[in-house]
Amino acid sequence: MTLRRLSSAAAVAALLTGLCASYAAAGEHPTATADSKAAARQAAAAPATLDTLSRFFARDGKVSLTAAAPRIQGDAVPVYTLSPEFVAGRAGASVAKLEYLASTAVSSDGQKASLWTVPQGTTWKVVNIATGDDEARYAAAGASRLPGGTVFQEPQINAWYVQKGATVLPLDEDAVRAVGAEGTTLGAYQKRVQRAYGDKLPGSAYAKSGKAGGYGQTPEEARAQAAAAAPTGGDSALTATSVTAGAGALAALGLGTVALRRRRGGNRA
């Protein structure tokens, strides 16, 4: 499984001071209109954001602070995640819900990062920075494989799919393991996620026990899982906290920390 990790608070919490705000505090849902995409990109390209990005890209000494020269590449893309209503089998529920808009930043040495933006009042705010450009890559892959479809993530296993009508196709190896290389029907996918998560939805006994809002892992379980999977080299100094928890994960990520995505080798979209 591809793990997304939170870095050590001591190392990077200051990066987003004055920049990040809690997604949960936004009180609004993002929209994927042309205007909202433009506003999200503008927030990502703001001088304060670019300054934070310079420090973000320079954090491990891969590039100097003054040489980072981050820029925003392409348009903001909508990011959808598996919908609890769909998992529950609610009639007419969409397979996924829009969580945020993501813009891709690139440094002078080729590093990439994804900036997650949500509406707050009359403006858009960057609430998280994650290494890599998964959001933009999978949006492009989904548009190519199933034009007009909805690209979405099943965050509990970090799998990416594209759905259109009754068809659900995998976009990464985690999704292939879940539904097969040829994909599945929307009905069959709903049955699979209901079996996997139906007893963990908000309002369930699992939720009331305080486990990640009822739709994932407790922080302790996540840390233990990620620590067990952590490599001994590379960026292993990072605090290994898996954020594949699901509902509520974005709110947790927006509270003054920077999410770092760790990738593995192998097939990629």
Side-chain angles (χ1 to χ4, degrees):
M1 179 188 300
T2 302
L3 293 178
R4 302 191 76 175
R5 299 163 146 215
L6 294 181
S7 60
S8 169
V12 299
L15 283 178
L16 297 189
T17 300
L19 176 63
C20 280
S22 172
Y23 172 73
E28 301 178 39
H29 295 288
T31 58
T33 65
D35 286 345
S36 64
K37 291 178 183 178
R41 191 184 192 283
Q42 184 176 12
T49 310
L50 295 178
D51 181 64
T52 297
L53 280 167
S54 292
R55 288 178 281 152
F56 180 83
F57 287 131
R59 69 193 182 280
D60 292 328
K62 295 179 180 179
V63 65
S64 71
L65 184 64
T66 56
R71 59 184 174 82
I72 303 303
Q73 175 178 279
D75 297 326
V77 299
V79 180
Y80 295 83
T81 61
L82 180 62
S83 164
E85 291 76 20
F86 177 81
V87 173
R90 183 175 299 176
S94 299
V95 66
K97 60 180 181 179
L98 182 63
E99 291 282 5
Y100 57 94
L101 300 182
S103 297
T104 300
V106 183
S107 69
S108 61
D109 65 337
Q111 293 182 74
K112 293 184 178 181
S114 179
L115 295 99
W116 302 1
T117 50
V118 297
Q120 292 189 343
T122 59
T123 63
W124 281 73
K125 298 290 186 182
V126 176
V127 296
N128 197 56
I129 302 175
T131 61
D133 62 342
D134 279 8
E135 290 79 4
R137 285 193 306 106
Y138 288 122
S144 175
R145 190 165 188 198
L146 198 60
T150 298
V151 174
F152 72 97
Q153 185 188 34
E154 183 182 332
Q156 294 79 5
I157 61 172
N158 201 33
W160 289 83
Y161 310 85
V162 59
Q163 174 265 331
K164 184 177 182 181
T167 302
V168 178
L169 299 179
L171 296 178
D172 69 355
E173 58 191 34
D174 294 305
V176 168
R177 281 195 291 270
V179 301
E182 300 304 316
T184 188
T185 65
L186 186 62
Y189 180 71
Q190 193 281 326
K191 290 178 181 178
R192 190 191 76 78
V193 295
Q194 188 172 52
R195 286 194 303 270
Y197 315 121
D199 62 346
K200 299 175 177 63
L201 292 167
S204 66
Y206 189 89
K208 292 175 182 178
S209 71
K211 295 184 177 181
Y215 203 34
Q217 301 167 296
T218 64
E220 291 76 13
E221 290 170 336
R223 279 193 291 270
Q225 174 184 314
T232 57
D235 58 2
S236 58
L238 299 177
T239 299
T241 303
S242 169
V243 292
T244 58
L250 294 185
L253 290 177
L255 298 174
T257 55
V258 180
L260 297 175
R261 179 183 298 114
R262 175 155 186 93
R263 298 204 212 295
R264 342 148 269 201
N267 296 330
R268 291 172 52 184

